[in-house]
Amino acid sequence: MNFTIKNVLIATDDDYTTVDVQVVDGKIATIAPDLDVIGAAVDGRNNLLLPGFVNAHTHSSEMWQRGVMSMLPLELWLAELYDFAPLDLEKVYLSALGTAVETLLSGGTSVVDHLVLIPGQELETIATAVRAYQEVGIRAFIAPLIQDEPLIASIPAGNSVPNNETYFRSTGATLEMIAEAVKQYHRPEEGVSVLVAPTGIQLCSDALFLGCIELSDRHNLCRHSHLLETKAQEKLAQEKYGCTAVEHLQRIGYLGDRTSLAHCVWLNETDIKILAQTQSTVVHNPLSNLRLGSGIAPILKYIQAGVNVTFGCDGASSNDSQDLLEAIKIGSILHNITDSEYQNWITPRKSLEMASLGGAKGLNIADQIGSLSVGKQADLVMYDLTKLSLLPRTDPIGLLVLGRPVNVVDSAWVNGKGIISSGQINTINIDNLKQELFNRSQWENKRKSPGVAQIETHYRQIMDL
Amino acid sequence: MNFTIKNVLIATDDDYTTVDVQVVDGKIATIAPDLDVIGAAVDGRNNLLLPGFVNAHTHSSEMWQRGVMSMLPLELWLAELYDFAPLDLEKVYLSALGTAVETLLSGGTSVVDHLVLIPGQELETIATAVRAYQEVGIRAFIAPLIQDEPLIASIPAGNSVPNNETYFRSTGATLEMIAEAVKQYHRPEEGVSVLVAPTGIQLCSDALFLGCIELSDRHNLCRHSHLLETKAQEKLAQEKYGCTAVEHLQRIGYLGDRTSLAHCVWLNETDIKILAQTQSTVVHNPLSNLRLGSGIAPILKYIQAGVNVTFGCDGASSNDSQDLLEAIKIGSILHNITDSEYQNWITPRKSLEMASLGGAKGLNIADQIGSLSVGKQADLVMYDLTKLSLLPRTDPIGLLVLGRPVNVVDSAWVNGKGIISSGQINTINIDNLKQELFNRSQWENKRKSPGVAQIETHYRQIMDL
C-alpha cells in the first residue's frame, strides 16, 4: 500500500511549501519536491497535508443520547445518562463506528475511547469496540471506564450521612477484568492499545488506582482518567483526601508522561506545577465543559507552565458531536476571554500542534505519530482547499482552525492505509451505518429521569443552589 | 410558486407533530395533517421544518480576510483589517454571495449586513450588495456602516493628548448619502430593507446618531449599531459622555423596538434595565466575542430581564465563518459557565426561538416572519433528519442546536421562493462562486500591519498591558 502524494501544500516552521510525500510500508519515507512516484499517485494540488489529530477523550456509546440530554450540570446529567443507557453490543458497535467516522471526517486519525462497559459483558464490550475501530481503520486507544464506588459517591456529602451503598463489582474483579482485556486486546502494533482508565477520584478507591498503576507499569500501558471536571469534584477531593485531587494523584503515583487527564477545569497554581513536573497531559474538552457548565479550563496557564495539552470531543451526549475541528476551534478561541494579554492567545498553528503532536505525547507515542516527519507512521489527513468553507484563499491553517470547515477532508490514511478518498469513507458502508442508527432509535423529547429526581435536592444543597 | 410540503415534522409547544404545510403566494396558508396538494408537492418525510433564522449582524466583505487575521483584540484587529481592505465592487459582490450562501446553508433566511462601504463608491457598494442578495434570494437588511470620526478615536485617550484628525467625509454628507440609499434601495416588499447603522459610540458623533434617528423616524427604518463590544469601549464611553454608552444612547433617543445592538458585552445592571424598557434587541455574536477576547455577553441576564436576544455571525474575519448554527450553539451553551443555576440555562427550543422570532422582533417584522404561523411569509428551512450528524434519532431540535450539523439543510424558501432544494443552492452557480473566490485570492500568512504597529503602544498603555 505504498503511495506518493504529489504537489501538496505542507506547513513549514512559519510558512508553507509545496512538496511530494512518499509513503512506504505505512511510514513517511521522503518529503521533498519532485519525487518519483512510488506506488499509487495521489494528486495533492490545492490540498493541505497535516498529521492526523487525536480525539483524546470520548465515550463512544454516548452517541445514542446526543441531542436529547437535559441542560444539567455533570452530576445530574450523569444520573440522567445512566437512566437511559441500556446498551447492547450492537449499539456499542454502531456508536463506535459513528464516533470513528465523525472523528476521521474532522481530521482525527486516532481516538481515545473511555469506553462505558456493559455490566456483565465487559470483555465483550471491549471486543466489540475493537472490532468496530479495526473495521473503520482508525487508530484506537481503548480506555475501559472503571470505578469501584456507586454514582452517589461522586457528590460531596456536606453534612449529610455518608452513603453505604457498594459498587456491584469488587475492585479485585475489576482489575482482573482489565488485566484480561490487556492480554486479549492490547496490540499497539496492530493499531489497538488498551489504557488503564479509572473514571476519576470521584468514583474510585486508592486500591483501584494503585492496581491500575501496577498494570500500567507491568505492561507499559498509558493511563487515563477524568480530573476535576466540576466544582463539586473539587469539593469532593477536599472531603475525601484533605488535599487537592492532583496532590493526591501525585502522592499515589498516578501522574506521569504516560498519563492523560480529561477536563482539568478546577486546578490551582500548585496543581498546575505538579502536572508540569510529572509531564502529565491535559485533554481539553471545551464543548462539554460549556454544555455542562463545568467552567473554562485554564489552558493558557497550562501552556505557560509547560504542561502538554491536547483536545477531545468528550462523549457525544455532552458535546453533542464528535467533530474534532469544532473542539479545536472552540478550545482555542475560548481562552482569549481569560487573558487580556493577547500575546498569550493560542494561534492556529499552535492549535494544530496541540491536536496532533500534543495528542501523540499524551499517548507516549510522539516518536511514532503526530507530525509530518520522515520515519513516522503515515497517519495523514489531506484537506481540499477549494471547498467553499476554505475560500477565499488566505492562510490555510487559519481557515481550517478558525473557520467552520464543511466536507473538507479529501483523504485520510492511518498507518499508510487509505481510510478516506475523495471525501468518502472507504472502509465501511456509511449508508448502512446511517440506516442502522436510524432503525435503532426514535425521535423523542419527553424523557423523565428518576435518577435526577433522586439526587437533585441533595445536589442543590451542597452546591448552594 | 405555490407548494405543499407533505408529512413534515414540526415542533409544537413541547413536542413534535407531523403535518402538511400549504404555501400560497409566498405565505403560509395552512398547517394541518392530510391537506390537498396545492402547487408543487414537496416530500417532507423524515424532515424537520423550522422558520428561517436571522443572521442578525455581519459584515459581508470581511469574508476576504477570514482565516488570516492575527489573534488580536478588537481595536488592534480593526487596524489590521483596514490595512488590508482595498475592496472593489466585484469583491463586495462575491463576498455578499458567499455570506448569503453560508447563511442559507446553516438555516438562515435573512441577513443583516452592516456593510462596509468603499470610500467614494458608497452607493455603488450598496447597489452591489443588493444585487448579490437579490440574486441569491435571501431576505436582506442592508445596514450601511457609517461613522464620522477617525479610527484612532475609538481608543480611550487616557492621559494622552486628544487626536485632532478628522474623518474624510462630513456628517452631513454621510447622512445625505444614507438618505439617498434609502430612496434608491429600501424596498421591504421586495425583500431588501435599508437600516440606519452608525458603527457605534466609539466612532460617531451625536450629530450622526441624531441624523440617523431622524431618517429612521421619517422612513420607519430599523436602527442598528455596535454597542459596548470591548472593555476599551466601556472606558471610552465614560471619557466621552461621563456615563455609560447605554445611558447616552437612551438620552439621545436611539434605543427602541426598532433598534438592534450588536455585541452588548460590557453592560451593567442599569444598562440592562434600559434595554428592556426601551424594547431594544441584543444581537449576540459569540464566536467573534471569543476570537477577539471581548468577553462573554451577559445573555442569561438579558433573557431574565426580558430583553429580546438574537444571534449573529459577525463578519467572517472575526468568526471566521458565516455558519449560523455554529453561532446558535456556542451562543447558547457558552452561558452555562456564567450561572451555576442550571434552571436558567438556554434550552435548544429557546435557542431556536431567539434565532428566528428574536431576529424578526429585532427587525420589527415579527408579524411577518419568525415562526411557523398561518399568514406569515414562507421563510422556511427544512432539515434532513437522516443525515449522519443528526443520527441516531433523538430530539431533532436538540440535535440541530447542540450537535454539529453538516449538510443538513435539504430545502429553504424565502417569501415562498425555493432557494435550496436537495441540499443545493438553486439560484446561483456555486462552482462559479468558488472559482471566483479562488481566483481573486492567494494563500498567504506573512502579513504585517503598519496600522497595528502605530497604535499598539498606546493601546497597551491604556489597557494596562
Side-chain angles (χ1 to χ4, degrees), chain B residues 103-261:
Chain B
T103 298
L104 284 157
L105 289 173
S106 57
T109 51
S110 290
V111 63
V112 178
D113 189 353
H114 205 175
L115 184 68
V116 176
L117 306 172
I118 302 173
Q121 293 187 288
E122 290 84 358
L123 289 172
E124 293 87 340
T125 309
I126 296 169
T128 302
V130 167
R131 175 164 64 92
Y133 290 132
Q134 290 197 313
E135 283 179 18
V136 178
I138 199 168
R139 196 177 291 278
F141 297 84
I142 309 281
L145 189 150
I146 52 174
Q147 64 190 72
D148 60 355
E149 293 172 2
L151 194 58
I152 187 69
S154 66
I155 302 183
N159 297 322
S160 62
V161 182
N163 159 68
N164 291 318
E165 246 181 275
T166 56
Y167 193 60
F168 81 94
R169 190 176 53 222
S170 74
T171 307
T174 296
L175 288 166
E176 277 171 35
M177 180 266 291
I178 297 298
E180 186 59 29
V182 172
K183 194 170 148 193
Q184 291 188 32
Y185 304 109
H186 183 60
R187 303 279 183 278
E189 67 290 350
E190 295 169 24
V192 177
S193 300
V194 174
L195 284 71
V196 293
T199 188
I201 64 105
Q202 67 279 9
L203 288 170
C204 299
S205 69
D206 279 359
L208 187 61
F209 274 109
L210 292 169
C212 285
I213 292 169
E214 195 274 323
L215 269 173
S216 154
D217 287 344
R218 193 178 343 145
H219 301 285
N220 194 28
L221 307 175
C222 288
R223 305 170 186 175
H224 192 63
S225 185
H226 296 103
L227 180 63
L228 291 171
E229 179 172 357
T230 63
K231 198 170 175 187
Q233 290 177 7
E234 187 197 29
K235 280 178 193 244
L236 182 75
Q238 288 294 341
E239 259 183 23
K240 204 167 171 177
Y241 309 123
C243 65
T244 75
V246 175
E247 286 166 341
H248 186 74
L249 289 179
Q250 182 187 32
R251 200 170 300 162
I252 65 176
Y254 196 73
L255 306 181
D257 63 1
R258 281 181 286 139
T259 303
S260 60
L261 303 156

Side-chain angles (χ1 to χ4, degrees), chain A residues 14 66 291 319-320 323 329 336 341-342 391 393-394 402 404 407 441 444 446 456 460, chain B residues 14 66 291 319-320 329 336 341-342 391 393-394 402 404 407 438 441 444-446 456 460:
Chain A
D14 66 346
R66 67 177 177 186
R291 206 259 207 222
N319 178 306
D320 292 355
D323 192 298
K329 173 177 179 174
N336 296 3
E341 178 49 87
Y342 49 90
L391 289 173
R393 290 187 285 173
T394 60
L402 297 171
R404 192 187 190 269
N407 308 326
S441 57
E444 56 173 338
K446 295 205 167 227
E456 190 166 13
R460 294 186 66 83
Chain B
D14 65 345
R66 68 177 177 185
R291 207 260 209 220
N319 178 305
D320 293 351
K329 172 177 180 173
N336 296 4
E341 179 46 89
Y342 49 90
L391 288 171
R393 290 188 285 173
T394 61
L402 297 171
R404 191 186 191 269
N407 308 325
F438 188 94
S441 57
E444 55 175 336
N445 73 323
K446 295 204 168 227
E456 189 166 13
R460 295 186 65 85

Side-chain angles (χ1 to χ4, degrees), chain B residues 320-362:
Chain B
D320 293 351
S321 171
Q322 289 297 297
D323 192 298
L324 207 39
L325 284 166
E326 183 187 33
I328 293 168
K329 172 177 180 173
I330 303 303
S332 299
I333 65 174
L334 177 60
H335 307 288
N336 296 4
I337 59 171
T338 68
D339 190 347
S340 59
E341 179 46 89
Y342 49 90
Q343 293 169 356
N344 293 335
W345 295 356
I346 300 170
T347 64
R349 283 183 178 237
K350 174 69 182 171
S351 304
L352 289 194
E353 188 195 313
M354 292 162 68
S356 47
L357 195 60
K361 280 184 190 165

